[in-house]
Amino acid sequence: NVELLVHNAVKYVTLTWNGENELGSGAMCENACGITKFGKEVVSELEKNNIAVDVSHASDKLFYDVVNIAKKPIIATHSNSRAVCKAKRNLTDEQFKIIRDMGGIVGLNFYKGFLNDDENQSSIEDIIRHADHVLNLGGENVLCIGSDLDGADMPDDITGVESVSAIYRRFCDEFGANVTKKVFFDNANMYFTNFDII
């Protein structure tokens, strides 16, 4: 199937959803197994074909197993900071730093349950809190947008893609135009532009 993915210009593959599959264990597994033997083969084959490995939805055990075998920078396409919101799907500071040091990227998720421990209180300001936290971990060239607009419940002040311009303006106010441009375009563009030659 990797050949089929290459033929269809797939750029990254998420290894699991929340449960367990043939590749490994997702973030909501009670007894996470980490990566399977087949999962290791898949990671290797994806990298050989210049397809990035996405660890969003991975259990902590799967995350570290992937880190130990990956030859190329991994990504977390839609995961926030566990230090800001305790959801299992979010990354610990250590995990963020590992992705940073590998040269990967992390996409901010707008899902209300990953923004605030009380999801009913979540808002655009929580996105700013997550961004501020990971930027302070040295994430200026790592952070990007991974909204999850197509499959998750949003805070009340995000009605859909039409809200992205308001989020962009809020980023500019808080972090300045240069950092905002990196987060909203440059970091992800640089990663995927250079992935084939890593």
Side-chain angles (χ1 to χ4, degrees):
N1 286 328
V2 173
E3 289 183 12
L4 180 64
L5 299 178
V6 172
H7 178 73
N8 285 282
V10 170
K11 296 299 182 188
Y12 68 86
V13 167
T14 307
L15 298 179
T16 64
W17 194 57
N18 290 332
E20 188 173 314
N21 64 21
E22 294 87 348
L23 305 181
S25 49
M28 299 306 173
C29 287
E30 290 295 322
N31 299 301
C33 67
I35 199 165
T36 64
K37 180 181 177 185
F38 180 58
K40 292 177 183 177
E41 294 173 8
V42 169
V43 168
S44 176
E45 196 65 23
L46 290 171
E47 290 189 330
K48 282 180 194 171
N49 286 277
N50 293 315
I51 297 175
V53 175
D54 176 21
V55 293
S56 282
H57 285 285
S59 63
D60 288 347
K61 190 162 186 348
L62 178 59
F63 175 93
Y64 287 106
D65 285 349
V66 170
V67 166
N68 286 330
I69 64 172
K71 303 279 195 288
K72 292 191 172 194
I74 62 172
I75 62 177
T77 53
H78 54 305
S79 296
N80 295 337
S81 168
R82 207 178 298 177
V84 177
C85 174
K86 296 181 182 68
K88 286 183 180 180
R89 271 277 285 102
N90 287 339
L91 298 171
T92 66
D93 287 355
E94 180 182 65
Q95 290 170 332
F96 180 85
K97 289 175 184 176
I98 288 170
I99 295 174
R100 176 198 69 192
D101 293 346
M102 292 179 78
I105 52 174
V106 173
L108 286 169
N109 193 324
F110 299 171
Y111 170 53
K112 65 183 184 179
F114 300 158
L115 288 173
N116 192 310
D117 290 329
D118 180 355
E119 66 177 43
N120 294 318
Q121 297 298 315
S122 63
S123 70
I124 289 173
E125 288 309 303
D126 290 306
I127 299 172
I128 297 298
R129 288 195 308 128
H130 282 272
D132 185 62
H133 183 79
V134 296
L135 287 169
N136 283 321
L137 294 175
E140 183 174 332
N141 298 315
V142 180
L143 193 60
C144 55
I145 299 297
S147 64
D148 217 1
L149 283 170
D150 62 340
D153 294 330
M154 298 288 120
D156 291 341
D157 56 356
I158 299 177
T159 57
V161 70
E162 63 275 8
S163 297
V164 172
S165 58
I167 298 169
Y168 182 91
R169 289 192 298 272
R170 185 67 188 86
F171 265 75
C172 286
D173 291 342
E174 190 72 25
F175 307 115
N178 289 336
V179 170
T180 299
K181 185 171 179 289
K182 285 185 175 185
V183 173
F184 277 74
F185 180 76
D186 289 344
N187 291 340
N189 181 60
M190 183 73 69
Y191 175 85
F192 285 108
T193 299
N194 292 327
F195 192 78
D196 290 359
I197 59 176
I198 295 172

